Structure formats: C-alpha cells, structure tokens
Amino acid sequence: MFVKRISTQPFADQKPGTSGLRKHVKVFQQPNYLENFVQSLFNSIEGYQGKILVVGGDGRYYNRQAIQIILRMAAANGFGKVLVGKGGILSTPAVSCIIRKIKAFGGIILSASHNPGGPDKDFGIKYNISNGGPAPEKVTNAIYIQTGKITSYKIIDTEDINLDKPAVLQLGSMKVEVINPVADYADMMESLFDFDLIRKFISGENFQMCIDSMNAVTGPYAIDIFENRLGAPIGTVKNGTPLEDFGGGHPDPNLVYARELVSILYGDKAPNFGAASDGDGDRNMILGRRFFVTPSDSLAILAANANLVPGYSSGLVGVARSMPTSQAVDRVAAKLGIDCYETPTGWKFFGNLLDAGKANLCGEESFGTGSMHVREKDGLWAVLFWLNILAVKMKSVEEIVQEHWYIYGRNYYSRHDYEEVDLEQANILIENLRSLVPIITGKQFGKYQVNYADDFSYTDPVDGIISNKQGIRINFTDGSRIVFRLSGTGTKGATLRIYIESYEPNIKRQNMDPQKALEDLITLSNEIALVRQFTGREKPTVIT
Ligand code: VG1
Ligand code: CO
C-alpha cells in the first residue's frame, strides 16, 4: 500500500457548529478542504489503528465523491475496516445503530441535514464517537484545534470503490464492507415496537397514512419498514428515492417546507396520519387529519404514553429536552416523578445523560425526538412510536393531543426564524440582549413582568463540562418565556431564532391558533430585541 503525504495549509473556517461542519458544496470542493478536516479529525483521536469506522451519508450532491476520499484517507491512516452503506447511503440514526451494534470505533456522516442539497447548495460532515452519538464539544474543539495546525494529510492512491453492490473489498491494507443500509436499523425498530399490532391497526378499513421522505435518506428505510414489514399499501411512502438535490426542496419536515404532505393531510380526502423526515433521517413531523403536532408536544406525549410501547414498558428513568424546547415534557416528568434535564441545543448534549442512564427519552423543538435505543434523534422511530400509541389507544392523533392538554394543560409554543440576516447585526442584537440580562428582572412589559433572565449556561451532570452562552432566556412571572439564540447550522449570514412559549391550563382556552395565543409575547419579543432595527425584516422567514 503506497501512502502519500500531501502538504496542505489550514483553512480558518473549519469550526464545527451545532451538528458538524456545514458549508456550501463549493467550499467543500476547494482543493484539500475536506481532506484537511478529515485528517484533523483523525489527528484528534487516538487508538483507532486496526479498528472499524462506519461511513455513510444522506445521498446529497458530493456524497459519493466525499466517501471515496474518506475511504482512501481511512486506509492511509490505519483503520482496519470501514463499513459503508450501499450507494453511500446511511441515515444518521442508522449510523448510530450500526456503530453500537458492531462496537465500531466511530462513524462519519456526510450530511447537512435539513439544509438543501445540490452543486450550489450545502454539504456537511459530522463525526460520531463509539457510543454512536455526535462528538461532544471536547472532541469537536480538539478537531478544530487540529484544523488550525495541519500541514499535511495522508491518502492512498487507488481506484474508486464500487459502492453500489454489497461486498467485502480490499483497499490497501484496509477492508471495506459495503452493507445493506436498512437491515440493522429496521430490525432494531422491530425489537422496540409491537409490529404485529401496528400491522393490524394500519390495515384497518378506516386507517390511511402517508409518509413523506422528501427525496432524502429515509426513503429506503420507510419503504422497507412501512410497506414491506408492516404491510402498508405500496405508495404509502412518497418521495422515497434519495436524490442529490432532494428534488430542489429543503428536506426539512415542517409546515413550510413539507408543503406537499401538509396539503394532503389538510385536503378533502385526508388520511388519518402523516409524517415526514429530514435530509439525514433524524427529524420527524407528525400530522393527524387536519392537525399538526408540535414537536414539543410530541415529546411530552411520547413520554406520557411510553409505558404502552414494548421497548419502554418498564417505564422511563428520566427525560431531557433542549433549553428552547417547550416545557410540556417537564409536566409529564413531574407527574411521573422522574428527572427532567434541560440541555443546550444539539443532540451531542444528550449523549452523557443517555450513557449514564439518567434519561432515556430526549427531544428538541426542532422536530427531533429519540431515546436510549441509539445516540441520535430518530425520525422513523418517532413515527413508529406514534403508530404504536395510536394502535393501542385506538384514537385519532387529535384526540390523543387534546386528551394530553386536558390532563397537563397546553404549552402554546412557536419558533420564529429570521434566516440569512446580516451576521454582524445579528451578533449586535444578541450582545444587546446580553447587556439587558442583568437589568431586566422585575421590569413590567404590559401584563408581563420579568421573573428572571439569563444567558443559558449548562454544566453537564456527568463530566462537569460547562457550556456557556447558549441562548438568552427571558422568563415571566406567569410562566411564559421568550428565548433568543443564533443558529449554529446555517451556511449563509446568520439565522436568528426566537422561541415563544406560554402555558394555558384552562381547557376552554386550549384551542387557539398559537400565533394568536402568543401574539402579545411575539410583539414583546420584537420590541425587546429590536428585531426590525437589527435585521431589517418585517416578519420571520419561517414560523413553526
Ligand atoms: C438546529 C436545531 C437543533 C438541532 C440542529 C441539528 O440547530 O435548532 O435543535 O439539533 O439543528 O439538527 P441550530 O443551531 O441551527 O438551531 V439536524 O436534523 O441538522 O441534524
Ligand atoms: Co437532521
């Protein structure tokens, strides 16, 4: 095996964000750009010689080329074997599942998740550690330090590997196994949920469902699970072939970008159940007939009903949510008498809690839910969890949500995103809010009085690592709150996220449109943060 050492120079912009390194494809296509990051990753980890690495991606543009480069570099750097999904395909939760199952050293996922794909769109790379979860900050920081010092990378000179046929191949002194991307993951789903019951339920005369894979990675998984294994009619899965540009859309399962599914579920002959997932398969959106379940409610409802599902029948030990996620799940935890952890945004913060057995169900407001079964959020897992609950309760999605609000009260919730705003101005907006934090407590804004405000800081209860500056929280005395933070996944300018929440215990007032119910708080959030002044925008780009 001839290992070449290629000289290179650092790129200054290789700091991983909320979930890996995301940039425009053109940035990744610069000579040595991907290679630098991959070598910096290898330089920052130890003890991988002869070990197994799992590699796959969401099928977006540049996925295949990137995989060939990574395979050659893994061989040159001394990995023993790489498992790669057929066609270069592996969803994020499937990578997590496989790393854990075969006790791999780690995994590399090529994805920019819900960001659009194509030659002029986005690409991304993220690293998962041996527990199957996203690299925690101490690892991503170490990678970043290496990216600033790199002088050369190692690669072998060989032909491309055929990724389109399951096989065991040799690449230099390393083995490459091209695997079926779906089987291990689908088997795991069968072990967690009552497939016989779900099969019977979805074959019922009055039940119809529609799954939208948004031309992204979950297509093959959803077809195997819902159509083959659970017997749903062929065609249940829409947009089920992963495309390099996701058909031109944002593979982001929300009311704006999953328009096609939304129009089916709100149309004349609407099915009873609809769901969509994102680019890399870790997010989910759940819809009933003419009914949208907010991700924060979804998390709370899964927690409240977990005992109905085989994989969780022995009960939950604890739950965790990211800070901006609504406090609906906190109420369920209180009732169950279990702990509820509040972490910064990003799945990497759940890993320690799951590993330590402190929590076994987690979620984020950004359409992500998951559990201890893997170390990632998991889109199709959430869909199956819902179907299992529906099959046990024999109720509609809407009835289940209404029943939940009746018992626990409703947390009205909305997120307003201002995408691609000026980075400098966005930073000033946040700094301005930061300066308000120490002086705003006790202030009255109309009917709202500030109870406390802070810039969220998290101390990991397992390793004690502190993460500061994770978002400005303004909490009011009536329990409502506004949270402000900048996205760590965008690739252009800045994205300002404003999260607004209030609590409504009165069943008579639980059926309002959230935008209406939160109207005053929304106006207030704009006033406090001077949104118009700093962004120049009259309204948000995306409201969820
Ligand atoms: C967003 C979401 C966050 C999620 C992250 C990765 O981050 O808000 O909850 O964990 O995307 O999701 P940010 O920093 O842009 O707010 V995914 O599906 O990209 O892997
Ligand atoms: Co994703």
Side-chain angles (χ1 to χ4, degrees), residues 10-33:
F11 290 90
D13 63 345
Q14 295 198 320
K15 190 173 170 58
T18 312
S19 176
L21 183 72
R22 279 184 206 182
K23 302 281 172 197
H24 280 290
V25 165
K26 298 250 156 26
V27 174
F28 269 103
Q29 285 173 327
Q30 296 173 84
N32 299 345
Y33 192 89

Side-chain angles (χ1 to χ4, degrees), residues 18-19 22 92 112-114 126 278 280 282-283 322 345-347 364-366 377 415 485-490 497 499:
T18 312
S19 176
R22 279 184 206 182
T92 289
S113 188
H114 52 288
K126 43 188 184 171
D278 73 333
D280 61 331
D282 55 1
R283 297 183 174 205
S322 65
T345 293
W347 209 262
E364 295 190 278
E365 48 64 42
S366 54
K377 54 186 188 270
R415 184 176 103 181
R485 59 180 283 282
L486 296 184
S487 155
T489 57
R497 304 202 195 286
Y499 311 79

Side-chain angles (χ1 to χ4, degrees), residues 302-318:
L302 299 190
N305 294 288
N307 62 323
L308 305 177
V309 172
Y312 306 86
S313 56
S314 53
L316 299 177
V317 291

